Amino acid sequence: MERTATREGSPVRLGLTGGIGAGKSTVAAIWRERGLRVVDLDAHSRAVLDVPGAGVEEAIARFGEEYRQDSGTVDRAALARLVFADPGARADLEAIVLGRVDEAVAAEEVQAREAGEGVVVHDSPLLLEKRHDAGDRYAAVVAVLARREDRIDRVVRDRGRERGYAESVMAAQVSDLERIRRADRLVLNTGDEQVLRGRALHALEAVLAELGVSSVGPAT
């Protein structure tokens, strides 16, 4: 896949993606330990609805007061059940959230550039979906893959969610076949955490070597 070159003076931008329960967040943590700045787009998305402000009020105005929690923030679990069953509602929520996420991500990239960092990673389960299209945004994209049943088990066990929730999220995300087709590197999460760590670091080093990147942290 051809990628647009990073602007001179800016960090190389990598994409990290994977479906729910695949282990993407674990890979992101491993890369942080390696010294990379990892921008968690999901965390920025959650903040729009978890912090009282314009994003919360716009969501409540669109979806109704029944989605407001006592804290004044949005009941994201209840809203998730709605939007994963209703494409129109999902599109409306994306319109509320994604512009604000872009602003937060851009601010982090400015910080990375000012710190002289060589690489910045965008960590998002929606990296290959229509809104965060990887075609011209990333020097390389790495996708984390795992068996379907393993993914469902992790969501149920680690997040306390119902199996149906995991399946509905999977149905709304791109397929693993699409991730395989569009990613530049794959990390298979089919072993224990030490196996995953080795594969995550191997994929990272291979991508950096291909891009000719020798330094990831702040310039010294």
Side-chain angles (χ1 to χ4, degrees):
M1 182 186 302
E2 292 186 2
R3 305 287 183 195
T4 299
T6 304
R7 289 186 307 163
E8 185 175 356
S10 297
V12 171
R13 183 190 290 149
L14 303 182
L16 175 64
T17 193
I20 186 171
K24 173 186 60 61
S25 296
T26 303
V27 172
I30 292 166
W31 285 9
R32 282 193 186 93
E33 292 174 9
R34 168 68 172 77
L36 276 71
R37 178 187 293 265
V38 178
V39 182
D40 187 340
L41 275 68
D42 238 10
H44 285 304
S45 296
R46 291 192 296 270
V48 174
L49 304 179
D50 285 348
V51 179
V56 168
E57 295 309 317
E58 190 173 346
I60 295 299
R62 163 60 181 85
F63 298 106
E65 282 291 334
E66 63 267 32
Y67 290 98
R68 190 191 298 274
Q69 301 186 111
D70 292 342
S71 62
T73 61
V74 173
D75 184 342
R76 289 192 294 108
L79 190 55
R81 289 192 290 271
L82 170 66
V83 301
F84 283 119
D86 182 341
R90 185 182 180 197
D92 288 347
L93 181 61
E94 287 177 346
I96 293 168
V97 171
L98 292 177
R100 293 178 169 91
V101 171
D102 284 344
E103 291 177 1
V105 171
E108 285 211 52
E109 290 201 332
V110 169
Q111 293 171 9
R113 184 171 65 249
E114 291 177 345
E117 295 173 12
V119 177
V120 63
V121 178
H122 286 195
D123 167 15
S124 173
L126 302 180
L127 203 77
L128 299 179
E129 272 75 356
K130 59 183 180 181
R131 180 58 180 83
H132 291 299
D133 190 356
D136 61 357
R137 291 170 64 92
Y138 301 99
V141 171
V142 176
V144 184
L145 304 179
R147 299 182 186 96
R148 176 182 175 84
E149 287 303 315
D150 289 346
R151 294 169 59 190
I152 292 172
D153 287 347
R154 289 190 194 104
V155 174
V156 173
R157 181 188 67 240
D158 299 339
R159 306 188 193 182
R161 297 286 197 170
E162 299 290 334
R163 179 186 179 94
Y165 170 82
E167 291 176 334
S168 67
V169 174
M170 287 181 182
Q173 295 177 338
V174 299
S175 68
D176 276 350
L177 286 177
E178 184 70 1
R179 293 187 183 98
I180 291 168
R181 185 180 73 82
R182 297 177 62 188
D184 300 288
R185 286 272 171 177
L186 304 175
V187 176
L188 301 181
N189 186 8
T190 54
D192 60 24
E193 190 164 334
Q194 282 303 111
V195 171
L196 179 60
R197 174 177 295 276
R199 290 173 177 173
L201 291 174
H202 174 77
L204 175 62
E205 297 303 333
V207 166
L208 296 179
E210 289 168 2
L211 296 173
V213 178
S214 58
S215 176
V216 298
T220 57

